């Protein structure tokens, strides 16, 4: 696995943690310490695939990205995308298809939303994360979402914020056909 490093307009693709450390040592703003060297080596050897950023000073970072690209042009053209992630995406049904699939019956919908509540001691309002679960009759996951949100809109402050049905803050499952 190779490493792509970037600090503002300085960037490189290296093939080992030692080369990454050498590149970072050439940048005067980045202070190489034994802890930073050890962390870069640990990141390179780990199974972690997400990019990592390191703080240089407040609001200034350099990034390190693991890649299978053999050279910089392959990395820039995104030719070295990990195939195992693409396989997972092909096997899993798309969320939008599951959400709109017509299947009348009972659904359990769980919604995490920002609810506006009054604080009696100060007389001010604040947003509170609220988890709400309901069982309802619906024709699809989208219908379940719409019914839950319509119900909540009549019972909470109008400034409350509801997430999208397509996001991670709404989950549903089909419980079975109604009688």
């Amino acid at each position: 696995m190779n490493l792509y490093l970037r600090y503002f307009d300085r960037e490189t693709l290296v093939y080992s943690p030692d080369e990454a450390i050498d590149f970072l040592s050439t940048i005067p703003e980045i202070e190489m310490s034994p802890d930073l060297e050890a962390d870069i080596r640990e990141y390179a050897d780990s199974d972690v695939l997400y990019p990592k950023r390191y703080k240089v000073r407040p609001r200034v970072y350099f990034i390190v990205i693991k890649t299978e690209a053999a050279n910089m042009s392959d990395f820039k053209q995104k030719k070295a995308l990990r195939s195992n992630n693409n396989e997972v995406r092909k096997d899993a049904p798309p969320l939008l298809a599951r959400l709109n699939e017509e299947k009348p019956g009972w659904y359990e919908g769980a919604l995490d939303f920002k609810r506006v509540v009054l604080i009696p001691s100060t007389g001010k309002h604040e947003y509170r994360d609220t988890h709400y679960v309901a069982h309802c009759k619906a024709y699809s996951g989208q219908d379940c979402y719409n019914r839950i949100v319509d119900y909540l809109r009549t019972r909470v402050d109008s400034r409350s914020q509801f997430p999208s049905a397509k996001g991670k803050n709404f989950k549903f499952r089909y419980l079975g056909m109604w009688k």
Side-chain angles (χ1 to χ4, degrees):
M1 187 78 50
N2 301 325
L3 299 171
Y4 168 80
L5 292 96
R6 181 169 169 193
Y7 179 71
F8 290 107
D9 60 343
R10 297 180 188 177
E11 62 184 2
T12 188
L13 185 74
V14 297
Y15 307 101
S16 72
D18 292 326
E19 291 177 41
I21 292 167
D22 291 342
F23 169 74
L24 293 171
S25 298
T26 64
I27 302 172
E29 294 90 17
I30 298 175
E31 184 180 318
M32 287 304 295
S33 67
D35 291 337
L36 181 58
E37 287 182 27
D39 196 53
I40 291 172
R41 290 180 200 281
E42 183 180 318
Y43 172 71
D45 293 336
S46 71
D47 294 333
V48 174
L49 297 176
Y50 58 83
K52 190 155 186 184
R53 67 181 191 169
Y54 294 91
K55 191 174 202 171
V56 176
R57 60 182 182 271
R59 295 190 302 259
V60 176
Y61 300 87
F62 71 88
I63 63 167
V64 181
I65 301 173
K66 285 186 179 180
T67 181
E68 294 174 357
N71 54 45
M72 186 65 85
S73 65
D74 285 352
F75 178 78
K76 293 288 184 173
Q77 295 173 2
K78 299 181 178 160
K79 289 184 179 177
L81 294 176
R82 287 181 277 283
S83 60
N84 58 355
N85 287 347
N86 293 337
E87 291 169 9
V88 170
R89 288 186 189 133
K90 288 178 189 172
D91 295 342
L95 177 65
L96 196 56
R98 279 189 47 237
L99 192 62
N100 293 323
E101 179 185 359
E102 289 277 329
K103 199 171 184 182
W106 284 98
Y107 283 83
E108 177 183 76
L111 186 70
D112 294 323
F113 69 102
K114 299 280 187 189
R115 181 179 184 179
V116 173
V117 294
L118 175 68
I119 302 171
S121 60
T122 62
K124 295 183 179 182
H125 294 83
E126 74 176 9
Y127 285 103
R128 268 217 193 119
D129 290 331
T130 305
H131 182 74
Y132 182 79
V133 179
H135 291 202
C136 64
K137 286 183 180 180
Y139 292 97
S140 65
Q142 181 68 47
D143 187 37
C144 173
Y145 171 81
N146 292 339
R147 288 174 187 256
I148 290 172
V149 170
D150 289 344
Y151 175 82
L152 288 172
R153 284 193 198 278
T154 63
R155 286 163 177 78
V156 296
D157 192 294
S158 62
R159 295 171 289 180
S160 297
Q161 298 173 355
F162 298 100
S164 167
K166 300 171 194 167
K168 65 179 182 179
N169 290 326
F170 173 67
K171 294 179 179 49
F172 69 93
R173 67 185 177 112
Y174 180 72
L175 299 175
M177 188 65 177
W178 60 54
K179 293 183 182 184

